[in-house]
């Protein structure tokens, strides 16, 4: 992974280039010092964090087709994993960078104008299709069986 090697070397292509005031965060475990001192306790801590994060991510995946904030819960699970695992920290940094880039791109006046035009065209098409449907069938559904 290219981003991972850039992060380890401290290259300027990493997440620390977001601004001149950005302070690069230390990668690795955020466990309390007393937990890090004992290898057995630290491994147990990591297993616990992994299981909790996995439960949250699975809950988010279940919420994707069902009602609920699925993506938000998935990212919360990734944030839980990022407290302990470097790979999750790197994935979270990459995701934050991509979301920031997309938000900046969406605020571009040309992109906003294009999105407004496309949304307007879509709404006009849906309204026209609905008007044709109502004109042809009325307000009664065609599959409604009356006795």
């Amino acid at each position: 992974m290219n981003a991972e090697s850039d992060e380890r070397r401290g290259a300027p292509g990493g997440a620390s280039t977001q601004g001149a005031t950005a302070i690069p965060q230390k990668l690795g475990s955020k466990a309390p010092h007393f937990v890090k001192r004992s290898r057995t306790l630290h491994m147990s801590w990591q297993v616990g964090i992994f299981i909790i994060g996995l439960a949250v991510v699975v809950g988010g995946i279940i919420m994707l087709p069902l009602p609920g904030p699925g993506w938000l819960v998935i990212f919360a699970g990734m944030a839980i994993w990022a407290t302990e695992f470097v790979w999750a920290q790197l994935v979270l940094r990459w995701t934050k960078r991509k979301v920031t880039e997309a938000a900046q791109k969406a605020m571009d006046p040309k992109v906003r104008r294009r999105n407004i035009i496309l949304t307007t065209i879509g709404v006009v098409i849906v309204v026209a299709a609905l008007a044709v449907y109502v004109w042809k069938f009325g307000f009664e559904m065609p599959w409604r069986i009356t006795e």
Side-chain angles (χ1 to χ4, degrees):
M1 176 183 243
N2 192 13
E4 185 175 345
S5 61
D6 289 344
E7 293 288 337
R8 287 187 184 151
R9 288 182 296 182
S16 62
T17 61
Q18 293 296 323
T21 60
I23 299 171
Q25 295 177 351
K26 188 179 96 173
L27 296 175
S29 176
K30 308 272 190 294
H33 183 66
F34 74 91
V35 171
K36 289 181 185 178
R37 279 189 285 168
S38 169
R39 180 162 171 77
T40 307
L41 188 57
H42 192 234
M43 287 298 287
S44 301
W45 178 274
Q46 285 183 329
V47 168
I49 293 292
F50 183 79
I51 290 172
I52 292 169
L54 183 65
V56 172
V57 168
V58 167
I61 291 171
I62 290 171
M63 283 186 212
L64 287 176
L66 299 175
W71 285 109
L72 185 65
V73 174
I74 290 172
F75 290 132
M78 288 298 298
I80 290 170
W81 278 339
T83 63
E84 206 51 42
F85 304 106
V86 174
W87 61 268
Q89 292 169 358
L90 295 174
V91 168
L92 212 53
R93 283 184 184 181
W94 179 84
T95 304
K96 286 179 184 177
R97 188 173 65 242
K98 291 298 179 183
V99 167
T100 302
E101 290 172 6
Q104 288 174 349
K105 186 176 180 181
M107 295 306 291
D108 181 25
K110 290 181 181 178
V111 173
R112 288 181 66 204
R113 189 177 313 118
R114 182 199 67 202
N115 290 345
I116 290 171
I117 290 170
L118 289 175
T119 302
T120 304
I121 291 170
V123 167
V124 167
I125 290 171
V126 168
V127 168
L130 188 61
V132 168
Y133 176 84
V134 169
W135 173 71
K136 187 164 181 139
F137 297 107
F139 285 105
E140 191 169 331
M141 298 295 163
W143 57 83
R144 185 172 173 195
I145 301 172
T146 57
E147 294 181 34

